[in-house]
Amino acid sequence: MKKIILAAIAVMTVGFASAQEQTKKGKYLIEGNTSFGATGTGNTGFALSSEDGTTSWNIGAEGGYFVMDNLAVKAGLGYGDTGADYGGSMFSYKVGAKYYVINKIPFELSYTGASVKDADENPSYLGIQGGYAWFIGNNISIEPGLRYNLTLNDNYGTGKDVLQFNIGFALHF
């Protein structure tokens, strides 16, 4: 039993050391996220949903630079189709910052906006996200998390805030 406990501690120590190295100042980050529950929010992740015969989809990615240990400044771009009759295609963008608490618990604050074809008003959101960074290799992490998007314009669409579950995949350089 003692050997199992010591082996588990060794594995956790190596994982923690790897995470410390990947969130140091001067490192880069490239992310792809899934976005469950984020239809029409100006998404910079991968999403696919169908409701009442209307299918919406989105593709996108985000990148960041660690300006100090554990703090990355990020930007993202996305493109998708809402499947709605009132415009359809949507170009999305995101800017923000991501901070890793003890190199394993990322928190993000960001602004997300979109340009929807033929729309009178475009959606914009202030988002906060928290989760966990599981480093499965020296340069790869899986980051499940929850995100809350607060709408900044009540007149767009339903004008509702959005809670979403994300699973992010990140490459650290």
Side-chain angles (χ1 to χ4, degrees):
M1 182 67 163
K2 185 178 180 181
K3 289 181 183 180
I4 293 172
I5 293 172
L6 289 174
I9 291 171
V11 167
M12 286 188 273
T13 302
V14 168
F16 184 72
S18 174
Q20 284 180 323
E21 184 64 31
Q22 299 312 324
T23 60
K24 289 226 179 256
K25 180 180 179 178
K27 296 285 186 169
Y28 291 92
L29 170 73
I30 298 174
E31 287 183 314
N33 291 296
T34 60
S35 302
F36 304 105
T39 303
T41 61
N43 194 341
T44 57
F46 298 96
L48 177 64
S49 67
S50 183
E51 186 177 324
D52 298 330
T54 301
T55 301
S56 64
W57 59 270
N58 200 86
I59 57 172
E62 300 174 17
Y65 177 75
F66 285 91
V67 294
M68 60 184 271
D69 288 355
N70 299 321
L71 179 65
V73 175
K74 292 179 51 181
L77 295 173
Y79 180 79
D81 191 315
T82 63
D85 295 333
Y86 59 86
S89 64
M90 177 186 301
F91 173 75
S92 307
Y93 53 92
K94 180 194 283 187
V95 293
K98 188 173 197 175
Y99 184 76
Y100 286 80
V101 178
I102 62 168
N103 305 317
K104 295 278 189 176
I105 303 170
F107 284 97
E108 181 178 315
L109 181 63
S110 59
Y111 170 81
T112 305
S115 176
V116 181
K117 182 181 177 184
D118 299 329
D120 293 333
E121 185 175 7
N122 293 306
S124 59
Y125 295 87
L126 183 61
I128 186 166
Q129 179 174 322
Y132 181 76
W134 177 36
F135 283 84
I136 60 173
N138 288 336
N139 297 328
I140 302 170
S141 67
I142 298 174
E143 299 184 10
L146 284 176
R147 179 176 184 80
Y148 186 75
N149 290 306
L150 175 69
T151 185
L152 298 178
N153 49 346
D154 291 334
N155 297 329
Y156 176 80
T158 58
K160 293 182 182 177
D161 301 342
V162 178
L163 178 65
Q164 67 189 92
F165 173 68
N166 291 333
I167 298 177
F169 302 91
L171 297 174
H172 299 261
F173 301 100

